[in-house]
Amino acid sequence: MTALDAAWADRWLREAARVLAAHRDELIELDRAIGDGDHGENMDRGFRAVVAKLDESPSESVAAALKLAATTLMSTVGGAAGPLYGTAFLRASIAAGDRTALDGYAVEAVLAAARDGIVARGKAEPGDKTMVDAWAPAVEAAARAADGEAALEAAASAAEEGARATKPLVARKGRASYLGDRSAGHLDPGAVSTSYILRAAVTAAVSEILSGEVT
């Protein structure tokens, strides 16, 4: 089993950057349908900045990696995503505490803290057609897992399902809510980017040497 330690956390952030860069245009199109159209660009820019910080110095702990992501995303990501993801990673870093590695219980605690930060910042609930619709089932799934890697896999799969389930929903929060019933029939871009970020955590745990770089 790969230790979910500082090295894993750094790999997670690097893999998230790679995946978000690869899906940049997709996220732009999803956001263009019901929002400002800048989600893909913002997420790509923010995680590239995270990787640039990691290139300067590797993280000394899981908490340090998550805090670095939080502060960098808050300062580089525009729109609602910056404060929401920044708060999520900041709360997650606090939950990670001084642990040298995360077990199943700690994975759940970290994900729950991230979800709670997003809810506190955005005032959204499940069913509002936001990223919470991916985070909430992810936390619930992680809680039923036996160990850290299983918790990550369960969380990522649940987030992917949650993101897909946003398509028929009518948005009740954010810019998409201005569209009313016209917001139905579109995936929520924040939920989709959440699913990519959580899947990246699994990839980072499965492989200690990730292929591909952000270009």
Side-chain angles (χ1 to χ4, degrees), residues 45-202:
R45 180 175 63 251
F47 273 85
R48 284 177 184 273
V50 171
V51 169
K53 293 285 188 180
L54 291 175
D55 286 343
E56 295 176 6
S57 177
S59 302
E60 295 183 356
S61 67
V62 174
L66 298 177
K67 185 175 181 179
L68 179 145
T71 56
T72 305
L73 294 176
M74 284 181 178
S75 64
T76 59
V77 176
L84 290 172
Y85 273 119
T87 301
F89 277 99
L90 184 60
R91 293 284 189 93
S93 72
I94 294 171
D98 59 0
R99 295 179 176 90
T100 57
L102 306 185
D103 57 13
Y105 172 81
V107 167
E108 178 199 352
V110 164
L111 296 180
R115 174 205 59 195
D116 292 347
I118 291 169
V119 170
R121 193 70 185 249
K123 310 301 181 186
E125 300 176 353
D128 283 346
K129 199 184 182 88
T130 72
M131 63 175 67
V132 174
D133 289 304
W135 281 99
V139 174
E140 293 173 3
R144 298 190 292 269
D147 58 50
E149 283 191 34
L152 289 178
E153 174 59 44
S157 295
E160 289 161 354
E161 183 176 346
R164 289 191 294 269
T166 64
K167 189 169 186 176
L169 298 178
V170 173
R172 297 197 293 256
K173 292 288 183 179
R175 188 175 182 85
S177 65
Y178 301 160
L179 298 176
D181 291 344
R182 288 180 294 156
S183 63
H186 302 281
L187 295 173
D188 177 71
V192 174
S193 64
T194 292
S195 71
Y196 289 145
I197 289 169
L198 293 183
R199 177 55 62 185
V202 178

Side-chain angles (χ1 to χ4, degrees), residues 3-27:
L4 304 183
D5 55 10
W8 159 77
D10 282 1
R11 292 196 305 273
W12 173 18
L13 297 175
R14 290 180 182 278
E15 174 65 1
R18 187 190 69 79
V19 172
L20 290 169
H23 291 277
R24 174 183 179 275
D25 291 345
E26 175 201 357
L27 292 172

Side-chain angles (χ1 to χ4, degrees), residues 29-44:
E29 290 304 314
L30 290 177
D31 196 33
R32 186 171 290 159
I34 60 174
D36 293 331
D38 59 358
H39 189 63
E41 180 181 352
N42 284 339
M43 296 302 292
D44 181 27

